[in-house]
Amino acid sequence: QVRLVESGGALVQPGGSLRLSCVVSGFSLDDYNLGWFRQVPGREREAVSCLTSSDDNIYYTDSVKGRFTISRDNAKKTVFLQMNSLKPEDTATYFCAADTTLCTGGIHTSKSDYLRYFWGNGTLVIVSS
């Protein structure tokens, strides 16, 4: 059974940092692309970052480049999102996702792609003073 469980969300002041974690089970990280997405109520889910199973392709949305870093630890079956210099506009529920082609040639964000991905339940990040 495939399962993804996010953690690490919290209330943080602008300029602060958080590290999100996503522990996966039911499949090998060696075979899957992994990604982080975020969503604000009333808005579409947007891609934040992804990396391929071989780490030869890493993507960041423009608004987080230079501030966020995605990484993985295959032995711990965990994918991380290090978030620095956080801004109020980073406030959202953050979801991790897994799929065999999620990050191949760029991150895929169509509705049909989303239906195919394995998702966690999300972790809430609030950036506010």
Side-chain angles (χ1 to χ4, degrees):
Q1 182 180 0
V2 173
R3 190 173 182 217
L4 295 85
V5 180
E6 303 95 334
S7 64
L11 170 64
V12 62
Q13 292 188 342
S17 297
L18 283 176
R19 188 173 82 156
L20 306 183
S21 300
C22 175
V23 178
V24 308
S25 59
F27 62 93
S28 171
L29 292 191
D30 293 333
D31 300 326
Y32 279 77
N33 297 180
L34 301 166
W36 285 97
F37 298 74
R38 64 187 179 187
Q39 189 168 21
V40 175
R43 297 176 62 178
E44 292 188 356
R45 191 167 297 188
E46 68 166 342
V48 176
S49 180
C50 69
L51 75 169
T52 54
S53 56
S54 57
D55 292 346
D56 60 351
N57 186 39
I58 296 177
Y59 165 90
Y60 296 98
T61 193
D62 286 344
S63 62
V64 308
K65 284 180 180 176
R67 301 188 298 122
F68 290 11
T69 303
I70 190 171
S71 63
R72 68 164 78 209
D73 184 329
N74 285 3
K76 295 182 178 179
K77 303 195 76 172
T78 303
V79 59
F80 303 99
L81 186 68
Q82 178 66 42
M83 306 188 295
N84 299 327
S85 302
L86 282 161
K87 304 176 180 180
E89 51 264 42
D90 294 319
T91 295
T93 298
Y94 284 72
F95 300 87
C96 66
D99 179 68
T100 56
T101 61
L102 184 155
C103 199
T104 303
I107 195 162
H108 304 286
T109 58
S110 72
K111 290 184 179 179
S112 61
D113 290 321
Y114 282 6
L115 288 173
R116 192 179 67 248
Y117 296 166
F118 295 112
W119 294 97
N121 289 327
T123 186
L124 179 61
V125 173
I126 300 174
V127 184
S128 176
S129 55

